[in-house]
Amino acid sequence: MRTWFLCKVKYAKENEEGLLKNVSEQYLVDAVSFTEAEARIYDMLGSVIRGDFQVTSISKSNIVDVFFFDDVDVWHKCKITYIVADADSGKEKKVTQYMLVTAHNVKEAYDRIYESLNNMLVSFNVPDISESPIVEIFPYEKDDEELNPAIPDNLKPLSEVDESSEKVEENQS
């Protein structure tokens, strides 16, 4: 399960008249810790923002899933509720989760969240949708070279080591 961190970044942004104005923007980062979230936000924004910027806060987000559609980059926060039965006591329990979806407006966000969750086994309700102040989302990419450096030549995959040790054991028998 992903852990999303909300990072607030403050920097001087050039407006339409060419004047610099201090702005504070929110970004969502998929990371395993606060430290990694900070490192990833500096890495991702370092090449995008000209000049200095400062990460003013990092907090764990209550977002559990993100649904991205290519046609728009306005994020909407959707509150999803559903009922589950507790396996031990048999009592029903209401579960609330928050998800993000890109859409042009609230109605489209509603339609897209239903489309994205149509494979859920339980029926769900969407009691609240609001436009989110999040500017951009940085999900974890498996092919990020910084996060997954290449394996050095002097190391072998464990499967190859196991095979060679089995051959040595067979030869000793």
Side-chain angles (χ1 to χ4, degrees), residues 162-173:
D162 288 344
E163 289 173 6
S164 64
S165 64
E166 287 175 6
K167 288 178 184 176
V168 169
E169 287 175 8
E170 288 175 7
N171 289 340
Q172 289 177 352
S173 301

Side-chain angles (χ1 to χ4, degrees), residues 133-166:
I134 294 171
V135 175
E136 195 168 345
I137 293 181
F138 299 114
Y140 176 74
E141 301 291 336
K142 288 189 177 184
D143 52 335
D144 273 353
E145 288 303 314
E146 299 84 38
L147 299 174
N148 283 332
I151 298 173
D153 294 333
N154 63 334
L155 299 178
K156 293 181 189 176
L158 189 57
S159 59
E160 290 179 21
V161 173
D162 288 344
E163 289 173 6
S164 64
S165 64
E166 287 175 6

Side-chain angles (χ1 to χ4, degrees), residues 13-21 50:
K13 185 176 188 177
E14 191 174 319
N15 63 12
E16 292 83 28
E17 294 92 39
L19 300 172
L20 291 178
K21 181 181 177 186
R50 289 189 307 159

Side-chain angles (χ1 to χ4, degrees), residues 6 8 18 39 49 63 66 69 73 77 87 92 105 108 113 118 120 126 138 144 149 151 154 156 166 168 171 173:
L6 187 63
K8 293 181 184 177
I49 296 176
I63 303 295
V66 172
F69 292 84
D73 56 359
K77 187 174 184 178
E92 290 188 343
N105 54 48
E108 187 178 46
I113 203 72
N118 67 358
M120 277 186 71
V126 184
F138 299 114
D144 273 353
I151 298 173
N154 63 334
K156 293 181 189 176
E166 287 175 6
V168 169
N171 289 340
S173 301

